[in-house]
Amino acid sequence: MASNFGARANQALMQSSPKWRLAIWLLLMLSASLWTLQLWQNGARVQSDILAMLPHLQQDKLTERALNQVEATLADQVYIALVAKDESTAITAAKLLMQKLEADLVARGKQGALTDIRSADIQLGETLGQFYFPHRFKLLTAPQAEALASQNIESLLEAATAQLYNAFSYANSNLLAQDPLLLFPANLLTLAPSSKVRASQGILLANQGDNVAAVVMAKGRESAFNPNAQLAQMTALTQGLDAVKQSYPDITVLKAGALFHAIAATQTAKSEISILGLASLLGVIALVWLAFRSVMPLLLAIVTISSGLLLAVTFTLSVFGELHLLTLVFGTSLIGIAIDYSFHFYCERLSDTERSAQATVAYIFPTVTLAFITSALAYVGIGLAPFPGMQQVAIFCAAGLLGAYLTLLLAYPLLAGSRLPAGSRPLALAGTYLASLTQLSKRFTTPLGMGMFALVILIWCLGGITKLTVDDDIRHLQQSPASVTEPENQLRQLLSGGTDNQFLLVRAPSEEALLQQLERVSPMLDAAITNQELGNFVSLSRYLPSHQKQDTAYRLQGEIYQTQLDQILVSLGLDENLKPKLQAAYLAAKTDYITPATFFTLEAGKQLAPLWLAPNIKATDYGALNDDGASADHGADQGTDYGADYGAIVLLGGIQQIDALKARFASDESVQLIDKVADISAVMGHYRLLTLKLLALALGIALLLFSLNFGFKKAAVVVAVPALAALLTLATLGLTGSQLSLFHALALILVFGIGIDYSLFFASAQNHGKAVMMAVFMSACSTLLAFGLLAFSQTQAIHYFGLTLSLGIGFTFLLSPLILTTTLALTNNPLLTTKKS
């Protein structure tokens, strides 16, 4: 620690008053506590939404709006299927569940957890019929259009006659008087998408083998990722399902929706926070007690950790306004790092019991400060990733380290003033270990030893890194248990594949051009269904024909009302006096079109409105679209200028071959298959490479910085330790078959930040090698406790993070003492000769 900076620091810290420093520290902690309390009262919260951790995508305005619209449409929906042996039981059970959920909603009013409770809409067909009937002259099915184009009126007459004698047809005298060929009923039927589901008594039904499933849907009033909302929604569902089970014990329940994934994620995160955090804390306490055999170091260790956690929470809430549950899971590792300063302080005191607490703080201040800066910079490197959650981790841990650092400087000089019990045994063990390493180092310092060591490391690194593969799939961020995914998959199959997160965005410069584009896309999707690339799709082309298509239908129907009407009336035995009224109605409909503006005023239209993206408007509250077309109100984006293009969303379900679907539209710039999962995964891959480059840059900057203090050769050795540890970690991951992801790369940044600390202390050890060895051993143990436990997380992202850090810190611990022992071996320093204790 021979530097002007260290000398000035020693002098300043020795001259300052411990009482004043403690008063400043207490004032700082009190201010942080009051500010945090104020933030909680002003709405700061714990966030459990896993989507909040996803990276930001750079998209054009229309694509961004479409993504927001789809997320708002599909989010917070709850699907329950009640599977029974017969249809009547399934219907009765579904009605009972809806009754219980509606009773809860009525009882709680605006506090009701679930709203828009529904199954099938039995009035939907009637409403659509009333809307489309005045436009019947502008509607034709494909077979009808083909028959009229070929002037094959006879086929249409035969179809109309068949309907007249069909007991289940829509034909009646009133309809015949306005639509003599009965063309409209067939057009109305085309509005209903093909599906495995059917409706009976207002309940949506689907067959599951020999059983019948009744499907009930609802919408959460608040986000499914809000822990309080989760509890309220699950309480309402559980009460309703319990009532169903009591009346129908043989009913099987299938559940689907973001709610159940969110609950699984919340439970996992809370469990891991409590288990991993408690285990890490107990491990640190055990380390402190075994090493120092005193209550004060134990109390100060707890104070250090607590102050670090307090500042971590304060800074995170101040910057983000919320605290993510996964941030807390990652943040449990802070316990193992923040305590390092306490270890170094007390190990130095053990090595020189005559030195005061204030003098000890002054002695380690330069190295601790440099270590704090490098660790904080490592966390800043993590914060450069485009993940709000990882940015929170960076702020949380950097602020936590700051709290521990300030506690050491301000509180320890007075609070740690009492003497320690005799601690010769831990120091003796550290000295013995260093002596063993020194003997080993003597072998490495020979040309043969150095060559063999380098050869082993080279083979290890080359063998492992060449086998290393990458995996940037964002789905590994959180994987729900089989108890959630299996029922959901079964329910999706009942609903013809449900709706996937991928969708088509069709764009055009005008409303009419967009409608024509949708009409062109639909046959391509029908072909994809035929080829089993896709299960189903929902498109506005089914409900909103373009003006061009309406004009074509109108022109073709002129064959009926202007040329063949007399023959048709005679053939069907209708009154010839209908002719003037029919022709007048036909002529009056010429300028009357089906338009999006009028369609979206319908209740059924409101359900589909989120799929229509008109430019430069304020989006109002739209109804969410579900698999059966039932509505659920959702707020949309708030009046943003989205440019001049029109856009339409085509929802896709039951996707089997995503690459084949992409290929269908690859050459069409007006149609874009939006796959947010793939896009985010690509961003993860980009930032994985960027993070590794950042690591290399950090090593270079550290080399230059340390060269000013240690000289180039010693600085190179200091930096080489974490660099070699990172290479060995990557090689080990490759040899064990673990695929490299962004979370591995982010962990390597921390390996550098923490590993540099160990190297710095050994480089600055001078004649206090045993104290540094003991402190680094305890530090490594506490860090391995924290990050080693993260490796057992059920969340793969956290598992990868913890595993990589565990390997990296382990390698750093093994390599860092060589900085000191190699120097001692080369100089034949007898410093490490130990006595039996």
Side-chain angles (χ1 to χ4, degrees):
M1 299 184 185
S3 67
N4 293 332
F5 174 74
R8 290 195 299 270
N10 288 344
Q11 183 178 2
L13 290 174
M14 287 297 292
Q15 291 176 350
S16 58
S17 169
K19 292 182 179 179
W20 275 108
R21 274 190 278 175
L22 180 62
I24 294 172
W25 178 81
L26 289 173
L27 181 62
L28 176 65
M29 293 299 116
L30 179 61
S31 300
S33 301
L34 293 175
W35 178 245
T36 302
L37 181 62
Q38 179 71 18
L39 291 172
W40 283 119
Q41 292 177 343
N42 289 341
R45 62 195 179 107
V46 174
Q47 171 67 269
S48 65
D49 186 352
I50 195 69
L51 300 177
M53 288 195 72
L54 298 182
H56 300 298
L57 294 176
Q58 298 298 321
Q59 305 280 9
D60 62 83
K61 292 180 178 180
L62 190 62
T63 304
E64 181 182 358
R65 183 183 178 191
L67 283 166
N68 293 338
Q69 203 82 306
V70 169
E71 288 177 3
T73 299
L74 300 180
D76 308 330
Q77 302 299 312
V78 176
Y79 304 83
I80 304 294
L82 304 175
V83 184
K85 293 181 179 180
D86 59 88
E87 183 173 306
S88 61
T89 303
I91 291 174
T92 310
K95 288 183 176 180
L96 175 59
L97 176 60
M98 294 175 67
Q99 178 186 347
K100 293 296 183 181
L101 294 178
E102 288 168 352
D104 178 79
L105 179 61
V106 171
R108 296 177 181 269
K110 292 183 178 180
Q111 302 301 318
L114 294 171
T115 65
D116 197 17
I117 300 147
R118 64 208 180 274
S119 188
D121 188 350
I122 58 176
Q123 298 180 336
L124 179 62
E126 182 181 348
T127 303
L128 290 175
Q130 292 174 354
F131 173 76
Y132 283 105
F133 188 73
H135 303 284
R136 61 192 177 279
F137 302 107
K138 298 290 183 72
L139 297 172
L140 285 175
T141 65
Q144 290 170 353
E146 184 179 351
L148 288 173
S150 61
Q151 297 184 345
N152 185 10
I153 295 293
E154 288 74 15
S155 64
L156 297 179
L157 282 170
E158 291 175 2
T161 303
Q163 287 193 60
L164 285 173
Y165 292 101
N166 186 341
F168 300 99
S169 75
Y170 293 94
N172 57 57
S173 58
N174 184 47
L175 180 60
L176 279 168
Q178 301 179 75
D179 181 20
L181 285 179
L182 299 176
L183 301 180
F184 180 71
N187 283 277
L188 189 61
L189 289 175
T190 62
L191 299 177
S194 59
S195 175
K196 300 176 184 178
V197 298
R198 64 187 188 280
S200 178
Q201 302 180 43
I203 300 298
L204 195 67
L205 300 173
N207 292 330
Q208 189 188 51
D210 296 331
N211 299 324
V212 178
V215 181
V216 175
M217 290 156 286
K219 180 184 77 71
R221 188 182 294 277
E222 297 182 64
S223 170
F225 295 99
N226 180 316
N228 293 330
Q230 288 174 17
L231 178 61
Q233 291 173 29
M234 276 306 299
T235 300
L237 278 175
T238 301
Q239 290 174 351
L241 291 173
D242 285 346
V244 170
K245 278 289 188 180
Q246 287 178 3
S247 301
Y248 307 97
D250 294 332
I251 286 281
T252 300
V253 178
L254 302 178
K255 304 174 185 176
L259 171 65
F260 308 107
H261 293 275
I263 288 174
T266 301
Q267 290 175 344
T268 298
K270 287 182 176 179
S271 173
E272 290 179 356
I273 289 170
S274 57
I275 294 174
L276 301 184
L278 180 62
S280 181
L281 183 61
L282 292 177
V284 167
I285 291 173
L287 272 175
V288 173
W289 178 257
L290 291 174
F292 306 119
R293 304 289 179 151
S294 175
V295 174
M296 185 53 69
L298 191 57
L299 293 176
L300 275 181
I302 295 174
V303 168
T304 304
I305 293 170
S306 300
S307 60
L309 291 175
L310 173 60
L311 283 195
V313 172
T314 302
F315 274 73
T316 305
L317 292 179
S318 298
V319 174
F320 298 98
E322 62 183 18
L323 191 60
H324 201 287
L325 275 176
L326 287 184
T327 300
L328 293 175
V329 175
F330 278 106
T332 59
S333 62
L334 179 64
I335 296 172
I337 304 173
I339 199 64
D340 290 358
Y341 303 140
S342 182
F343 290 158
H344 284 287
F345 171 84
Y346 276 108
C347 288
E348 286 295 339
R349 289 213 69 189
L350 275 181
S351 67
D352 188 350
T353 56
E354 299 301 320
R355 183 190 289 144
S356 67
Q358 185 173 1
T360 303
V361 171
Y363 178 77
I364 66 174
F365 170 74
T367 305
V368 167
T369 300
L370 199 56
F372 165 70
I373 292 172
T374 53
S375 296
L377 288 176
Y379 282 115
V380 170
I382 288 181
L384 295 177
F387 286 73
M390 295 311 297
Q391 291 165 357
Q392 276 200 24
V393 170
I395 295 292
F396 187 91
C397 292
L401 284 180
L402 176 63
Y405 174 75
L406 293 176
T407 301
L408 173 69
L409 297 185
L410 301 177
Y412 273 55
L414 187 63
L415 296 182
S418 60
R419 292 185 176 274
L420 291 174
S424 58
R425 180 168 177 76
L427 286 175
L429 292 174
T432 302
Y433 179 71
L434 275 176
S436 301
L437 285 180
T438 303
Q439 295 300 317
L440 185 63
S441 298
K442 290 179 180 179
R443 300 178 183 178
F444 290 154
T445 53
T446 64
L448 179 61
M450 292 179 67
M452 291 296 294
F453 179 76
L455 181 62
V456 170
I457 296 295
L458 182 63
I459 293 174
W460 188 344
C461 290
L462 287 178
I465 292 176
T466 53
K467 292 183 177 181
L468 198 61
T469 57
V470 298
D471 180 11
D472 299 309
D473 195 336
I474 190 63
R475 284 169 290 196
H476 291 162
L477 187 65
Q478 177 70 47
Q479 291 183 319
S480 297
S483 59
V484 173
T485 57
E486 289 179 1
E488 180 172 273
N489 290 335
Q490 293 181 48
L491 206 158
R492 284 173 65 88
Q493 291 304 313
L494 292 177
L495 297 173
S496 303
T499 302
D500 292 321
N501 292 322
Q502 297 90 346
F503 62 91
L504 290 182
L505 174 60
V506 183
R507 63 181 75 210
S510 67
E511 184 177 280
E512 173 64 12
L514 179 59
L515 293 174
Q516 292 181 26
Q517 287 278 47
L518 288 172
E519 289 168 354
R520 183 179 59 82
V521 167
S522 290
M524 301 172 69
L525 293 175
D526 288 330
I529 293 175
T530 302
N531 291 343
Q532 297 184 342
E533 301 167 13
L534 182 67
N536 62 83
F537 68 93
V538 178
S539 173
L540 287 170
S541 64
R542 190 186 303 274
Y543 305 92
L544 292 171
S546 65
H547 283 201
Q548 181 186 61
K549 187 175 181 180
Q550 293 181 64
D551 286 338
T552 300
Y554 184 81
R555 177 177 54 79
L556 290 173
Q557 290 200 50
E559 181 72 15
I560 300 172
Y561 297 101
Q562 294 182 327
T563 307
Q564 304 287 341
L565 189 55
D566 290 328
Q567 177 189 344
I568 293 170
L569 293 175
V570 171
S571 299
L572 295 174
L574 299 176
D575 189 348
E576 294 181 1
N577 293 328
L578 293 174
K579 181 178 178 179
K581 292 182 180 180
L582 287 170
Q583 288 183 330
Y586 172 77
L587 292 173
K590 183 175 182 178
T591 58
D592 192 11
Y593 290 95
I594 301 167
T595 65
T598 55
F599 175 72
F600 292 141
T601 60
L602 297 175
E603 188 61 34
K606 292 177 181 178
Q607 298 165 15
L608 294 163
L611 304 185
W612 183 259
L613 306 173
N616 301 327
I617 64 168
K618 286 187 176 181
T620 56
D621 288 340
Y622 288 122
L625 180 70
N626 301 299
D627 296 302
D628 71 325
S631 67
D633 293 338
H634 250 297
D637 32 83
Q638 302 297 319
T640 305
D641 185 349
Y642 290 104
D645 274 354
Y646 281 80
I649 296 166
V650 180
L651 297 178
L652 307 175
I655 296 175
Q656 301 296 325
Q657 302 178 46
I658 186 70
D659 292 334
L661 273 178
K662 288 181 179 179
R664 285 184 180 273
F665 305 102
S667 59
D668 192 342
E669 294 183 357
S670 63
V671 182
Q672 181 183 2
L673 197 153
I674 306 295
D675 186 354
K676 187 174 182 180
V677 171
D679 292 341
I680 292 176
S681 298
V683 170
M684 287 183 66
H686 168 73
Y687 277 93
R688 170 179 47 78
L689 291 173
L690 184 62
T691 302
L692 293 176
K693 293 177 181 177
L694 178 65
L695 176 60
L697 178 63
L699 289 169
I701 294 174
L703 179 61
L704 293 176
L705 181 63
F706 299 155
S707 295
L708 301 176
N709 197 44
F710 300 118
F712 180 79
K713 289 184 178 180
K714 196 169 186 178
V717 175
V718 171
V719 173
V721 168
L724 186 55
L727 288 175
L728 290 172
T729 300
L730 289 174
T732 305
L733 292 173
L735 291 172
T736 56
S738 181
Q739 294 177 307
L740 185 64
S741 71
L742 174 61
F743 297 98
H744 293 95
L746 292 173
L748 288 176
I749 291 284
L750 278 190
V751 169
F752 161 74
I754 299 171
I756 280 290
D757 290 1
Y758 300 168
S759 298
L760 283 173
F761 277 104
F762 277 112
S764 306
Q766 294 182 0
N767 60 346
H768 289 272
K770 291 184 287 187
V772 172
M773 185 67 249
M774 179 181 170
V776 167
F777 171 76
M778 295 181 68
S779 174
C781 286
S782 63
T783 304
L784 287 173
L785 269 174
F787 292 117
L789 291 171
L790 289 183
F792 292 99
S793 172
Q794 297 179 31
T795 305
Q796 286 197 25
I798 300 176
H799 165 74
Y800 291 155
F801 197 84
L803 176 63
T804 306
L805 267 163
S806 298
L807 290 172
I809 296 303
F811 285 127
T812 304
F813 170 74
L814 294 175
L815 294 172
S816 57
L818 297 178
I819 297 173
L820 179 62
T821 58
T822 301
T823 303
L824 292 172
L826 289 171
T827 58
N828 196 26
N829 194 323
L831 173 66
L832 297 178
T833 303
T834 57
K835 299 179 182 179
K836 294 182 180 180
S837 56

